[in-house]
Amino acid sequence: MNWRICGFIVLGLGLVSSATDADARWRRYDNCKAPLDGVATGKGLLGLGSERAREAARDNWEASAEDLYGRAYANLNRAINVRWDCKKGAVVTAKCVVTAQPCAARISG
């Protein structure tokens, strides 16, 4: 086998490994707090009400997390144990509740 090719393979594996390590540093979650609820309703036909309710519930959850714990916790993407409960109410009204534990991402190392 050509030594130059072997060198590129080893170099490539090292780059993949270091990229994975960097991602792991950013994805580490520390200091998770107690679960919070975000609740909202939305109006609209053909699923639009559910979509609006889901977006508003997310906004409500993130605002509550920021009010209670600060900006570092106000991102549902960093939360754990996320559960959604969306139901249609009247003909055009939908209600969504999102429950999740807010967590702050930290850089390690």
Side-chain angles (χ1 to χ4, degrees), residues 87-103:
K87 294 183 174 131
K88 290 181 182 178
V91 175
V92 294
T93 301
K95 178 181 179 181
C96 280
V97 177
V98 60
T99 304
Q101 285 182 256
C103 301

PDB file of all heavy atoms in Angstrom, residues 87-103:
ATOM      1  N   LYS A  87     -53.665  19.103  21.060  1.00  0.00           N
ATOM      2  CA  LYS A  87     -55.013  18.603  20.791  1.00  0.00           C
ATOM      3  C   LYS A  87     -55.833  19.672  20.098  1.00  0.00           C
ATOM      4  O   LYS A  87     -55.694  20.853  20.372  1.00  0.00           O
ATOM      5  CB  LYS A  87     -55.701  18.237  22.099  1.00  0.00           C
ATOM      6  CG  LYS A  87     -55.049  17.084  22.804  1.00  0.00           C
ATOM      7  CD  LYS A  87     -55.799  16.706  24.044  1.00  0.00           C
ATOM      8  CE  LYS A  87     -55.182  15.467  24.613  1.00  0.00           C
ATOM      9  NZ  LYS A  87     -54.876  15.434  25.954  1.00  0.00           N
ATOM     10  N   LYS A  88     -56.712  19.206  19.255  1.00  0.00           N
ATOM     11  CA  LYS A  88     -57.657  20.109  18.622  1.00  0.00           C
ATOM     12  C   LYS A  88     -58.781  20.368  19.613  1.00  0.00           C
ATOM     13  O   LYS A  88     -59.272  19.460  20.265  1.00  0.00           O
ATOM     14  CB  LYS A  88     -58.229  19.502  17.351  1.00  0.00           C
ATOM     15  CG  LYS A  88     -57.223  19.407  16.241  1.00  0.00           C
ATOM     16  CD  LYS A  88     -57.855  18.830  15.008  1.00  0.00           C
ATOM     17  CE  LYS A  88     -56.815  18.698  13.915  1.00  0.00           C
ATOM     18  NZ  LYS A  88     -57.362  18.107  12.716  1.00  0.00           N
ATOM     19  N   GLY A  89     -59.190  21.608  19.699  1.00  0.00           N
ATOM     20  CA  GLY A  89     -60.302  21.968  20.565  1.00  0.00           C
ATOM     21  C   GLY A  89     -61.548  22.121  19.725  1.00  0.00           C
ATOM     22  O   GLY A  89     -62.093  21.153  19.210  1.00  0.00           O
ATOM     23  N   ALA A  90     -61.974  23.333  19.555  1.00  0.00           N
ATOM     24  CA  ALA A  90     -63.123  23.619  18.691  1.00  0.00           C
ATOM     25  C   ALA A  90     -62.701  23.377  17.239  1.00  0.00           C
ATOM     26  O   ALA A  90     -61.616  22.901  16.969  1.00  0.00           O
ATOM     27  CB  ALA A  90     -63.586  25.057  18.909  1.00  0.00           C
ATOM     28  N   VAL A  91     -63.527  23.722  16.326  1.00  0.00           N
ATOM     29  CA  VAL A  91     -63.285  23.447  14.913  1.00  0.00           C
ATOM     30  C   VAL A  91     -61.948  24.025  14.432  1.00  0.00           C
ATOM     31  O   VAL A  91     -61.205  23.367  13.724  1.00  0.00           O
ATOM     32  CB  VAL A  91     -64.444  23.992  14.050  1.00  0.00           C
ATOM     33  CG1 VAL A  91     -64.147  23.811  12.572  1.00  0.00           C
ATOM     34  CG2 VAL A  91     -65.736  23.306  14.433  1.00  0.00           C
ATOM     35  N   VAL A  92     -61.613  25.220  14.819  1.00  0.00           N
ATOM     36  CA  VAL A  92     -60.397  25.859  14.303  1.00  0.00           C
ATOM     37  C   VAL A  92     -59.376  26.164  15.397  1.00  0.00           C
ATOM     38  O   VAL A  92     -58.361  26.783  15.127  1.00  0.00           O
ATOM     39  CB  VAL A  92     -60.737  27.161  13.553  1.00  0.00           C
ATOM     40  CG1 VAL A  92     -61.528  26.865  12.296  1.00  0.00           C
ATOM     41  CG2 VAL A  92     -61.452  28.140  14.437  1.00  0.00           C
ATOM     42  N   THR A  93     -59.611  25.722  16.626  1.00  0.00           N
ATOM     43  CA  THR A  93     -58.699  26.034  17.724  1.00  0.00           C
ATOM     44  C   THR A  93     -57.932  24.778  18.149  1.00  0.00           C
ATOM     45  O   THR A  93     -58.509  23.713  18.287  1.00  0.00           O
ATOM     46  CB  THR A  93     -59.466  26.582  18.946  1.00  0.00           C
ATOM     47  OG1 THR A  93     -60.172  27.747  18.552  1.00  0.00           O
ATOM     48  CG2 THR A  93     -58.518  26.938  20.072  1.00  0.00           C
ATOM     49  N   ALA A  94     -56.647  24.927  18.346  1.00  0.00           N
ATOM     50  CA  ALA A  94     -55.801  23.834  18.837  1.00  0.00           C
ATOM     51  C   ALA A  94     -55.058  24.324  20.073  1.00  0.00           C
ATOM     52  O   ALA A  94     -54.776  25.515  20.206  1.00  0.00           O
ATOM     53  CB  ALA A  94     -54.813  23.409  17.762  1.00  0.00           C
ATOM     54  N   LYS A  95     -54.735  23.392  20.970  1.00  0.00           N
ATOM     55  CA  LYS A  95     -53.992  23.725  22.191  1.00  0.00           C
ATOM     56  C   LYS A  95     -52.785  22.811  22.273  1.00  0.00           C
ATOM     57  O   LYS A  95     -52.886  21.612  22.038  1.00  0.00           O
ATOM     58  CB  LYS A  95     -54.862  23.528  23.423  1.00  0.00           C
ATOM     59  CG  LYS A  95     -54.137  23.806  24.718  1.00  0.00           C
ATOM     60  CD  LYS A  95     -55.031  23.574  25.927  1.00  0.00           C
ATOM     61  CE  LYS A  95     -54.274  23.840  27.209  1.00  0.00           C
ATOM     62  NZ  LYS A  95     -55.100  23.605  28.384  1.00  0.00           N
ATOM     63  N   CYS A  96     -51.639  23.393  22.596  1.00  0.00           N
ATOM     64  CA  CYS A  96     -50.416  22.622  22.770  1.00  0.00           C
ATOM     65  C   CYS A  96     -49.803  22.921  24.130  1.00  0.00           C
ATOM     66  O   CYS A  96     -49.800  24.068  24.580  1.00  0.00           O
ATOM     67  CB  CYS A  96     -49.388  22.951  21.692  1.00  0.00           C
ATOM     68  SG  CYS A  96     -49.668  22.124  20.137  1.00  0.00           S
ATOM     69  N   VAL A  97     -49.273  21.865  24.721  1.00  0.00           N
ATOM     70  CA  VAL A  97     -48.509  21.984  25.960  1.00  0.00           C
ATOM     71  C   VAL A  97     -47.179  21.289  25.717  1.00  0.00           C
ATOM     72  O   VAL A  97     -47.145  20.157  25.251  1.00  0.00           O
ATOM     73  CB  VAL A  97     -49.243  21.304  27.147  1.00  0.00           C
ATOM     74  CG1 VAL A  97     -48.408  21.382  28.407  1.00  0.00           C
ATOM     75  CG2 VAL A  97     -50.611  21.913  27.358  1.00  0.00           C
ATOM     76  N   VAL A  98     -46.096  21.972  26.026  1.00  0.00           N
ATOM     77  CA  VAL A  98     -44.778  21.353  25.969  1.00  0.00           C
ATOM     78  C   VAL A  98     -44.221  21.356  27.393  1.00  0.00           C
ATOM     79  O   VAL A  98     -44.302  22.357  28.096  1.00  0.00           O
ATOM     80  CB  VAL A  98     -43.814  22.071  24.985  1.00  0.00           C
ATOM     81  CG1 VAL A  98     -43.572  23.519  25.348  1.00  0.00           C
ATOM     82  CG2 VAL A  98     -42.505  21.316  24.877  1.00  0.00           C
ATOM     83  N   THR A  99     -43.716  20.211  27.810  1.00  0.00           N
ATOM     84  CA  THR A  99     -43.100  20.065  29.123  1.00  0.00           C
ATOM     85  C   THR A  99     -41.676  19.597  28.904  1.00  0.00           C
ATOM     86  O   THR A  99     -41.439  18.649  28.150  1.00  0.00           O
ATOM     87  CB  THR A  99     -43.862  19.037  29.972  1.00  0.00           C
ATOM     88  OG1 THR A  99     -45.227  19.430  30.060  1.00  0.00           O
ATOM     89  CG2 THR A  99     -43.271  18.917  31.365  1.00  0.00           C
ATOM     90  N   ALA A 100     -40.715  20.273  29.552  1.00  0.00           N
ATOM     91  CA  ALA A 100     -39.310  19.915  29.377  1.00  0.00           C
ATOM     92  C   ALA A 100     -38.483  20.478  30.523  1.00  0.00           C
ATOM     93  O   ALA A 100     -38.890  21.424  31.189  1.00  0.00           O
ATOM     94  CB  ALA A 100     -38.792  20.457  28.055  1.00  0.00           C
ATOM     95  N   GLN A 101     -37.316  19.876  30.718  1.00  0.00           N
ATOM     96  CA  GLN A 101     -36.364  20.369  31.704  1.00  0.00           C
ATOM     97  C   GLN A 101     -35.352  21.271  31.002  1.00  0.00           C
ATOM     98  O   GLN A 101     -34.622  20.803  30.128  1.00  0.00           O
ATOM     99  CB  GLN A 101     -35.604  19.219  32.358  1.00  0.00           C
ATOM    100  CG  GLN A 101     -36.405  18.443  33.352  1.00  0.00           C
ATOM    101  CD  GLN A 101     -35.557  17.358  33.979  1.00  0.00           C
ATOM    102  OE1 GLN A 101     -35.715  16.197  33.632  1.00  0.00           O
ATOM    103  NE2 GLN A 101     -34.666  17.745  34.862  1.00  0.00           N
ATOM    104  N   PRO A 102     -35.289  22.542  31.379  1.00  0.00           N
ATOM    105  CA  PRO A 102     -34.302  23.436  30.760  1.00  0.00           C
ATOM    106  C   PRO A 102     -32.893  23.107  31.231  1.00  0.00           C
ATOM    107  O   PRO A 102     -32.667  22.820  32.403  1.00  0.00           O
ATOM    108  CB  PRO A 102     -34.730  24.827  31.240  1.00  0.00           C
ATOM    109  CG  PRO A 102     -35.585  24.604  32.437  1.00  0.00           C
ATOM    110  CD  PRO A 102     -36.136  23.229  32.346  1.00  0.00           C
ATOM    111  N   CYS A 103     -31.952  23.116  30.289  1.00  0.00           N
ATOM    112  CA  CYS A 103     -30.545  22.848  30.580  1.00  0.00           C
ATOM    113  C   CYS A 103     -29.695  23.921  29.913  1.00  0.00           C
ATOM    114  O   CYS A 103     -30.058  24.440  28.877  1.00  0.00           O
ATOM    115  CB  CYS A 103     -30.119  21.488  30.043  1.00  0.00           C
ATOM    116  SG  CYS A 103     -31.047  20.102  30.698  1.00  0.00           S
TER     117      CYS A 103
END
